[in-house]
Amino acid sequence: MSKYTRHYPEIKEHWDTNIEFIKSSVINFDNGNEKEARRIALALRILFHETARSKSIYNQIDGKLAFKSAANIYSPANLVSSWNLLALSMGPEGIKYIPNLDQQTRNFYMMFEDWWHEIIFDDKKNLFSRKDIILFVANKDGGAHLDPEIPEKYAQLEINNSLGFTDENGNKPQNNPIY
């Protein structure tokens, strides 16, 4: 069976569409709808995830971009859990995780593979890269598919507060650090 090969403008249109999806979802996320993280993860998976049977849009457009990371520097020698893209907000309603965008300690540009595999969570039992989190949310947590069972390490991170942060009363953050 013969196949049609997409041309660069067609592939670029799909790139641009997914970037627009991400921008729209980020606005909704920033306005308080943290479930938009699922749509963001799905669009990121479409742009960047590659397997033996599917080629990422990024590689189809001959991706050679530098990727910005605002994550704090990960140190495996740190004796406590790390959440390198998050900060904590404390208020009358309790504590919650927030993106650390307003509290950036560094901006670093890296090649795609380094950005994709950058460690963003370490709960002292498991390491989680950006790729791990994006693919978990897209493939198992409702982005494109919802699995009835999830790997224990994600349940620990998402549900059981394996990052271990609590307030002075022992209350854990109210929201999902994965999102």
XYZ file of all heavy atoms in Angstrom, residues 3 14 17 24 36 41 49 65 74-75 83 88 92 97 107 127 148 156 164 172-173 178-179:
195
model
N 1.982 5.190 0.458
C 1.754 6.168 1.519
C 2.077 7.557 1.000
O 2.944 7.728 0.157
C 2.616 5.860 2.734
C 2.254 4.570 3.419
C 3.091 4.381 4.655
C 2.719 3.099 5.357
N 3.491 2.906 6.581
N 0.728 21.430 12.217
C 0.409 20.616 13.397
C 1.214 21.078 14.615
O 0.709 21.090 15.735
C 0.654 19.131 13.116
C -0.433 18.513 12.309
N -1.560 17.974 12.881
C -0.579 18.375 10.982
C -2.355 17.505 11.935
N -1.783 17.748 10.773
N -0.447 24.300 15.778
C -1.736 24.008 16.418
C -1.541 23.512 17.839
O -2.222 23.970 18.768
C -2.510 22.958 15.589
O -2.780 23.500 14.298
C -3.810 22.576 16.268
N -3.464 28.043 25.198
C -4.833 28.158 25.699
C -5.000 27.428 27.032
O -5.594 27.950 27.984
C -5.801 27.581 24.659
O -7.113 27.603 25.136
N -6.248 21.246 33.482
C -5.710 21.558 32.155
C -4.337 20.929 31.961
O -3.872 20.791 30.831
C -5.624 23.069 31.937
C -6.945 23.733 31.651
C -7.550 23.375 30.302
O -6.821 23.027 29.348
O -8.785 23.462 30.191
N -0.176 18.061 28.888
C 0.650 16.852 28.752
C 0.386 16.144 27.429
O 1.322 15.671 26.777
C 0.394 15.906 29.928
N 7.096 13.140 22.042
C 7.310 11.721 22.325
C 7.520 10.943 21.035
O 6.775 11.079 20.074
C 6.128 11.156 23.100
C 6.311 9.737 23.515
N 7.418 9.308 24.222
C 5.545 8.649 23.324
C 7.311 8.012 24.459
N 6.188 7.586 23.917
N 15.939 23.089 18.523
C 15.684 24.237 19.387
C 16.425 24.093 20.704
O 16.692 22.991 21.158
C 14.182 24.344 19.686
C 13.244 24.508 18.505
C 11.799 24.403 18.975
C 13.498 25.820 17.810
N 18.944 20.214 40.211
C 18.748 18.966 40.950
C 20.083 18.480 41.509
O 21.076 18.435 40.792
C 18.141 17.896 40.038
C 18.154 16.531 40.673
C 17.350 16.267 41.778
C 18.994 15.540 40.217
C 17.378 15.031 42.392
C 19.028 14.292 40.826
C 18.212 14.051 41.916
O 18.243 12.835 42.535
N 20.076 18.113 42.768
C 21.271 17.552 43.388
C 20.910 16.230 44.048
O 20.145 16.201 45.011
C 21.827 18.501 44.456
O 22.855 17.850 45.173
N 11.511 19.028 44.498
C 10.480 19.326 43.513
C 10.950 20.587 42.806
O 10.707 21.703 43.198
C 9.090 19.437 44.124
C 8.944 20.390 45.280
C 8.627 21.716 45.210
C 9.090 20.101 46.670
N 8.578 22.263 46.465
C 8.852 21.293 47.387
C 9.400 18.945 47.387
C 8.917 21.364 48.763
C 9.461 19.032 48.762
C 9.217 20.214 49.435
N 5.876 26.565 47.085
C 4.708 26.341 47.934
C 4.061 27.679 48.251
O 4.750 28.672 48.487
C 5.098 25.638 49.229
C 5.441 24.171 49.061
C 6.167 23.652 50.283
C 4.193 23.354 48.800
N -4.607 31.244 54.161
C -5.691 30.822 55.056
C -6.389 29.542 54.602
O -6.898 28.784 55.410
C -6.658 32.003 55.035
C -5.957 33.123 54.377
C -4.789 32.567 53.631
N 0.904 23.498 46.032
C 2.025 23.636 45.120
C 1.660 24.661 44.052
O 0.529 24.689 43.572
C 2.339 22.309 44.431
C 2.845 21.245 45.374
C 2.047 20.173 45.738
C 4.133 21.314 45.890
C 2.521 19.188 46.593
C 4.613 20.335 46.741
C 3.793 19.279 47.090
O 4.257 18.305 47.937
N 17.542 30.530 34.875
C 17.029 30.153 33.561
C 18.189 29.513 32.839
O 19.275 30.081 32.780
C 16.528 31.368 32.782
C 15.218 31.871 33.314
O 14.272 31.110 33.445
N 15.157 33.145 33.637
N 13.007 8.738 41.102
C 13.303 9.940 40.333
C 12.266 10.051 39.227
O 11.860 9.042 38.648
C 14.695 9.853 39.709
C 15.877 9.732 40.651
C 17.173 9.567 39.857
C 15.961 10.939 41.567
N -7.089 2.169 34.851
C -7.743 1.900 36.134
C -6.736 1.679 37.264
O -7.046 1.878 38.431
C -8.564 0.639 35.872
C -7.904 -0.011 34.704
C -7.284 1.094 33.893
N 2.136 7.218 44.944
C 2.817 7.786 46.114
C 3.030 9.288 45.941
O 2.815 10.062 46.869
C 4.162 7.079 46.356
C 4.027 5.648 46.822
C 3.291 5.533 48.149
O 3.489 6.327 49.063
N 2.418 4.550 48.242
N 6.613 14.634 50.900
C 6.736 14.770 52.340
C 6.515 16.136 52.941
O 6.679 16.309 54.141
N -0.998 18.106 54.360
C -0.251 18.076 53.108
C -0.835 19.098 52.130
O -1.963 19.556 52.317
C -0.254 16.670 52.514
C -1.604 16.175 52.055
C -1.510 14.777 51.491
C -2.841 14.348 50.903
N -2.760 13.098 50.222
N -0.088 19.458 51.095
C -0.621 20.377 50.081
C -1.918 19.856 49.494
O -2.119 18.645 49.337
C 0.486 20.455 49.042
C 1.732 20.179 49.835
C 1.317 19.139 50.848
N 2.000 16.694 40.541
C 2.249 16.266 39.175
C 1.697 17.296 38.191
O 2.307 17.593 37.180
C 1.651 14.869 38.916
C 2.426 13.821 39.692
C 1.612 14.546 37.434
C 1.851 12.426 39.637
N 0.541 17.851 38.505
C -0.039 18.855 37.596
C 0.728 20.143 37.657
O 0.851 20.868 36.707
C -1.502 19.094 37.917
C -2.401 17.895 37.621
C -3.698 17.886 38.086
C -1.957 16.807 36.905
C -4.537 16.818 37.829
C -2.773 15.732 36.655
C -4.080 15.740 37.108
O -4.903 14.677 36.851
